[in-house]
Amino acid sequence: MKKLEDFLTKIDDSHCPNLMQAGARTFKARVSCIRMLARNHAPDPIVPRRLFRRLQDLGIAESFMYDKLAEDFQRARNLESIAWVFLHHPRKSKSGPGSKSLRSLLAHFRREKNEAGIRWVLEMWERYFQGPNRIATYHFMSHYALQGQLPTVKSLFEYQIKRYGEPYYQSAYGPLMLVQAKRGDLLETVKMFNDLHARYGFDLDLKFWNILLSAYARIDDIDGALEVFNRIAQETYSGPDRFTFAILLGICANRGDIDGANDIFDMFKPLGLEITAQTIACLVQAHTMNNDLARAETIVMEASKIKLRGPKTAMWNQLIRTHARQASVKEASRLFRLMEELGIPQDSATYGALMEAHVARKDTDIAQHILTDVMPVAGQTPSAYHFAVLIRGWSQVGNFRRAMEVYNMMDKYKILPNFGTNVPLIRAAATKDSTDLLQKYDIDNIPSHKKHLKRAEKLLDNFLVYGDLGDHVSPHPLGGTGSVPNPAAYFSFVIRICGRIRAFELAQSYFLRYQNMVNHPRLKGSNFEPPVELISAIMYSYLLEKNYTEVERCWDLVYSSAAKLSETFSNRDTSKQGWVLSPQKYKLCKPLRYYITALGAQKKFKEADQIMEKVQWDGYAIDVRCFNQYILVILPSREIVRVFQLCENNLMKGWGGWRRQRRQRNLSSSVPKYFGFLEGRPFYPEYKTLVYLAATYKYLRKNARSNRESMSSLKTLQETCPLTLEAIISMPMKIDGLQETLLRNKGANNPVFMI
């Protein structure tokens, strides 16, 4: 055989007839020669491909020889040669040439997450076999179901019925139910499950129970998930398996419930359940959401040293992404290099996390360099997620022209936009600076000051009509939308825009339109609770409309929705202080600011104090903007000393002085924006707050000689609020409407009544 191999490596066209005389007459000899050549020349497959072409010309290249050669090329990860094999595959086998290799190639492309390769395999099935066989159809449906591509899954299912008849085995219905669950369409998922359960009863596969459980997990319905879990334990022979517990672990991880995640994770070993890389990734996510990055990195490092089923990339990506969103490029880059040292494979989401880090630092040029130059060299294919990160980055710095250029780049990569890319575009459309970039969305006979709103409305309608509402099934995070579910992200932006331009009726119509679009059986009744972000948007519109009754109603609704996000399987005791889950503590920052502003406008100062105490007692965070607004709200309550002391104790710790003073101290000229707990990172007073406090201090000094109460208040302030008074006294003169009205208007009344 060695001599035959040497002879075949030197073969040319004149030697082709001698091949049959050289001992290669049998199929076994031909296959052995070809496979030996394929293995020896895997990096450079020119020789075996040239020989195969000659064998085909001689008519002795049988189909099973192509199958064997494709398997060897697959082991060598030589996709180009695999494609060549199928492009030159003859059609002589009665059972259908290459069916086995096509299935192997499909599995290979699915493992590699190569969408182009999967589409190519489907085209090969249609080209040579008029469509995939029954097994391949199931695998194609499963793949597209995980992506939430409902039209594709339905068309494949209809093709299967048309060609092979109604499926008689229940697993054939799995992808059709899975795609509904992935899209968060609980109504259709429950309907299909009930039909299958009525048909098969106790014989229904546990896989369908897990799909139903994942549907509730997808929309974060913890009550429904717990109900399904109890039914699995009672109505199935086998009981819950590792996939069931993994879904519950994912619910805890998404909520940041570390205690619940640890409890479920500790149940794996006693129950004999296998711990996979995906399980560890959920545990890491729970810690990163609680900002416990040290513990999360410890878990990742320990998991990288042991053998686990599944790739370990996801847990590393979760850790890198958390550092990225904190604008820590140094830490994100360190973890990226550590992945390379440990041999952990990197995927496109890893590079996307690095892009997020640079965008958070407003280094959008570097992020675009990673997309256009670094990722192609690394062999990574970009997705809509990467373009969403870039579009958000350029929009944040006000460069809408660059944002539109990136949006148009998706056509080059043949990537369909999703709502992660569309939401920043809506924001750009609502900005007057982007008028020349979005002229095609302008509407004639509309006043110029309303054209930007009409552009945003038209974009929203286009996205809702032509966009796929299941595009949030992407395995990548969706840049530009945060945690807002689709399509609530669209509506929240447009409703907020309508509020700003006083289009209150239009804002209410969009809110009702969203309610009508919700496809959730639990939300169809009177207990409908939209996402917190959407309620906050309509609340802002009511506040500007001075409809304080509706603002209060929205506050009750948003408080109830936020409380549900802290529900756990262990039923947390809401009567205890700090019962809110740590990752959910920031949910009420915006609506709380709107609510206390409405209370201040109605002179309900005691109610404002009570709601601030209740929110902090429950464990919700108060950001710097909210606390500054609280100072302004209670300033007219005549409790001047208390207001100054609140500012001194809570805001002045983060005060570094005015810009000139900061430069003299070699500090940054810009004030850092801290968003965290009131007892955490130091806050700082905003300019507007200090101007109002300065006007109040001026009023006290003016009336100190004739008013003993004012004199007593001044002495108390000098003793208890030195930092606040220093900031007020050293305030630089600035020509603006605020100082002109409050500080230099000699005829002004008590400024606390002018807020």
Side-chain angles (χ1 to χ4, degrees):
M1 188 62 66
K2 175 64 176 173
K3 294 182 179 180
L4 183 59
E5 180 192 354
D6 295 337
F7 171 74
L8 292 176
T9 55
K10 301 177 182 179
I11 194 169
D12 54 27
D13 294 334
S14 62
H15 291 96
C16 286
N18 297 331
L19 178 63
M20 297 296 295
Q21 303 173 5
R25 290 179 179 275
T26 65
F27 287 156
K28 184 177 180 180
R30 296 179 211 165
V31 172
S32 299
C33 293
I34 298 303
R35 298 189 73 179
M36 190 178 300
L37 289 172
R39 293 191 184 102
N40 293 342
H41 298 274
D44 184 18
I46 296 178
V47 174
R49 284 166 55 175
R50 183 176 59 188
L51 174 60
F52 236 74
R53 190 179 294 110
R54 291 174 184 143
L55 291 177
Q56 185 178 3
D57 294 339
L58 291 172
I60 58 176
E62 302 296 334
S63 61
F64 78 94
M65 298 170 63
Y66 281 85
D67 295 341
K68 296 294 184 182
L69 183 60
E71 292 176 5
D72 291 326
F73 281 137
Q74 182 177 334
R75 293 191 188 96
R77 294 177 177 269
N78 196 318
L79 301 182
E80 181 182 357
S81 295
I82 295 174
W84 180 89
V85 169
F86 286 102
L87 286 173
H88 296 82
H89 208 305
R91 297 194 58 191
K92 292 187 178 181
S93 175
K94 295 181 180 180
S95 61
S99 59
K100 180 180 178 181
S101 295
L102 278 173
R103 291 199 304 270
S104 301
L105 190 58
L106 174 61
H108 172 75
F109 283 133
R110 288 188 67 184
R111 284 193 301 270
E112 297 292 329
K113 299 180 181 179
N114 190 329
E115 292 297 325
I118 293 172
R119 289 194 299 267
W120 178 81
V121 172
L122 182 58
E123 292 175 1
M124 291 298 102
W125 275 105
E126 295 174 348
R127 174 179 176 181
Y128 291 112
F129 305 97
Q130 289 79 45
N133 59 21
R134 194 190 301 270
I135 298 177
T137 303
Y138 174 79
H139 288 297
F140 278 116
M141 289 174 61
S142 300
H143 171 74
Y144 289 114
L146 291 172
Q147 296 184 336
Q149 298 188 22
L150 180 61
T152 306
V153 175
K154 280 188 173 181
S155 63
L156 286 170
F157 189 76
E158 293 171 356
Y159 156 79
Q160 184 182 29
I161 295 177
K162 183 178 180 181
R163 183 166 181 177
Y164 302 106
E166 187 76 22
Y168 57 86
Y169 50 96
Q170 54 178 296
S171 60
Y173 297 91
L176 198 59
M177 182 175 169
L178 177 62
V179 69
Q180 303 287 0
K182 281 289 183 180
R183 294 167 63 88
D185 194 345
L186 184 61
L187 193 66
E188 289 297 325
T189 307
V190 172
K191 180 181 177 181
M192 189 170 183
F193 176 83
N194 291 335
D195 294 341
L196 292 172
H197 191 265
R199 182 185 304 180
Y200 296 102
F202 275 91
D203 293 329
L204 185 63
D205 196 292
L206 181 60
K207 175 177 65 176
F208 292 96
W209 287 95
N210 288 335
I211 292 175
L212 179 63
L213 181 63
S214 68
Y216 283 97
R218 186 68 188 172
I219 61 174
D220 207 20
D221 187 348
I222 193 170
D223 296 329
L226 189 59
E227 180 183 340
V228 173
F229 179 77
N230 293 331
R231 290 185 62 188
I232 291 175
Q234 299 172 4
E235 301 182 26
T236 60
Y237 290 118
S238 60
D241 59 0
R242 64 183 177 89
F243 296 104
T244 310
F245 283 97
I247 295 172
L248 298 181
L249 184 62
I251 295 176
C252 295
N254 290 331
R255 289 171 174 260
D257 183 10
I258 292 183
D259 295 335
N262 288 330
D263 292 342
I264 295 176
F265 185 78
D266 293 339
M267 296 171 63
F268 272 73
K269 286 186 178 180
L271 295 176
L273 303 176
E274 181 184 9
I275 298 177
T276 63
Q278 183 182 5
T279 307
I280 302 295
C282 290
L283 197 61
V284 171
Q285 182 184 0
H287 285 279
T288 55
M289 289 195 67
N290 285 272
N291 207 29
D292 189 359
L293 301 184
R295 177 57 182 162
E297 185 169 350
T298 301
I299 295 174
V300 168
M301 293 300 297
E302 293 176 353
S304 300
K305 299 176 183 177
I306 61 177
K307 187 176 182 180
L308 296 171
R309 175 182 292 186
K312 302 175 183 178
T313 310
M315 63 182 77
W316 283 87
N317 290 347
Q318 185 68 39
L319 190 57
I320 295 175
R321 192 178 302 120
T322 305
H323 283 291
R325 290 176 177 175
Q326 296 179 359
S328 180
V329 177
K330 182 179 180 180
E331 285 297 314
S333 301
R334 179 183 65 84
L335 293 171
F336 184 85
R337 291 191 297 269
L338 190 57
M339 287 182 69
E340 295 178 336
E341 295 175 2
L342 297 176
I344 305 297
Q346 299 163 336
D347 59 8
S348 59
T350 313
Y351 289 88
L354 287 180
M355 291 172 59
E356 284 198 64
H358 289 288
V359 166
R361 293 287 299 271
K362 297 185 179 180
D363 296 330
T364 314
D365 283 316
I366 300 178
Q368 187 158 344
H369 169 71
I370 294 175
L371 174 67
T372 57
D373 300 329
V374 178
M375 289 183 63
V377 175
Q380 301 294 337
T381 304
S383 65
Y385 156 57
H386 301 86
F387 288 93
V389 172
L390 279 182
I391 293 173
R392 184 182 79 242
W394 289 122
S395 300
Q396 286 176 349
V397 298
N399 196 334
F400 300 110
R401 185 174 298 278
R402 294 292 297 272
M404 286 299 301
E405 290 175 359
V406 173
Y407 188 86
N408 295 328
M409 280 173 58
M410 290 191 291
D411 293 336
K412 173 184 175 183
Y413 291 88
K414 297 181 179 179
I415 294 176
L416 296 176
N418 63 6
F419 77 96
T421 60
N422 292 339
V423 163
L425 194 63
I426 290 180
R427 180 184 294 174
T431 306
K432 297 179 180 180
D433 298 337
S434 61
T435 302
D436 58 331
L437 303 178
L438 297 165
Q439 291 180 353
K440 63 179 180 179
Y441 296 105
D442 283 345
I443 302 176
D444 296 333
N445 302 323
I446 296 293
S448 58
H449 66 281
K450 291 187 178 181
K451 276 193 175 182
H452 56 287
L453 174 62
K454 289 298 181 181
R455 286 200 307 269
E457 289 182 50
K458 192 173 181 180
L459 277 173
L460 174 63
D461 292 335
N462 287 343
F463 294 153
L464 293 178
V465 172
Y466 301 107
D468 182 9
L469 296 184
D471 55 14
H472 63 298
V473 179
S474 169
H476 298 307
L478 295 168
T481 63
S483 60
V484 188
N486 181 34
Y490 288 138
F491 286 94
S492 60
F493 275 114
V494 175
I495 289 174
R496 196 174 296 276
I497 293 168
C498 293
R500 288 177 182 174
I501 66 168
R502 304 297 195 272
F504 305 120
E505 293 183 0
L506 187 60
Q508 297 173 23
S509 67
Y510 273 111
F511 187 77
L512 295 175
R513 181 177 173 184
Y514 172 80
Q515 291 183 349
N516 296 330
M517 289 182 61
V518 175
N519 195 16
H520 187 328
R522 290 177 179 268
L523 302 183
K524 285 295 184 180
S526 59
N527 295 326
F528 173 77
E529 291 185 359
V532 172
E533 291 78 7
L534 188 63
I535 307 175
S536 177
I538 192 65
M539 193 176 181
Y540 176 68
S541 175
Y542 284 131
L543 177 63
L544 295 179
E545 192 182 3
K546 297 183 179 180
N547 190 343
Y548 303 126
T549 303
E550 288 298 323
V551 171
E552 185 174 356
R553 189 180 68 85
C554 287
W555 169 255
D556 295 336
L557 185 60
V558 77
Y559 200 86
S560 174
S561 296
K564 286 184 176 296
L565 296 176
S566 292
E567 292 180 354
T568 62
F569 294 111
S570 57
N571 294 325
R572 295 171 69 89
D573 187 2
T574 57
S575 62
K576 293 184 178 180
Q577 185 176 1
W579 59 270
V580 176
L581 290 174
S582 179
Q584 310 301 333
K585 291 183 177 181
Y586 298 91
K587 285 292 184 181
L588 294 182
C589 289
K590 282 185 179 180
L592 177 61
R593 188 168 78 246
Y594 303 151
Y595 185 50
I596 61 175
T597 303
L599 292 176
Q602 302 174 79
K603 308 298 182 183
K604 296 181 179 180
F605 307 116
K606 290 185 178 180
E607 287 86 343
D609 293 334
Q610 292 172 357
I611 200 64
M612 289 290 288
E613 292 177 3
K614 176 178 173 52
V615 165
Q616 294 181 68
W617 190 89
D618 288 343
Y620 287 104
I622 299 177
D623 64 7
V624 60
R625 293 188 63 188
C626 184
F627 202 86
N628 274 274
Q629 184 64 26
Y630 174 60
I631 294 292
L632 297 177
V633 165
I634 64 174
L635 187 58
S637 65
R638 295 184 179 275
E639 298 182 20
I640 298 177
V641 174
R642 173 172 168 262
V643 173
F644 271 77
Q645 289 175 347
L646 283 173
C647 179
E648 180 76 16
N649 298 330
N650 298 289
L651 297 180
M652 298 309 298
K653 294 179 181 179
W655 175 251
W658 298 99
R659 182 171 299 178
R660 181 178 300 176
Q661 296 171 343
R662 296 180 65 86
R663 288 175 179 173
Q664 292 174 354
R665 300 172 188 173
N666 294 324
L667 299 175
S668 174
S669 59
S670 59
V671 180
K673 292 185 177 181
Y674 293 118
F675 295 91
F677 302 114
L678 192 59
E679 67 273 11
R681 290 177 174 178
F683 282 0
Y684 60 90
E686 293 180 341
Y687 170 69
K688 181 179 179 181
T689 304
L690 290 178
V691 172
Y692 270 97
L693 292 178
T696 305
Y697 180 70
K698 178 182 178 181
Y699 173 81
L700 289 177
R701 291 189 59 182
K702 179 180 179 181
N703 295 278
R705 294 182 179 180
S706 59
N707 192 318
R708 292 183 179 181
E709 183 179 354
S710 298
M711 177 64 72
S712 176
S713 298
L714 277 178
K715 291 181 179 180
T716 305
L717 293 181
Q718 292 172 357
E719 295 174 357
T720 60
C721 306
L723 296 178
T724 305
L725 295 184
E726 180 185 356
I728 290 173
I729 295 172
S730 62
M731 179 186 298
M733 183 180 295
K734 187 177 180 181
I735 302 176
D736 59 12
L738 203 58
Q739 287 196 21
E740 286 288 339
T741 303
L742 297 179
L743 298 181
R744 288 189 287 276
N745 188 353
K746 297 181 180 180
N749 296 322
N750 186 348
V752 298
F753 296 107
M754 299 172 59
I755 299 177

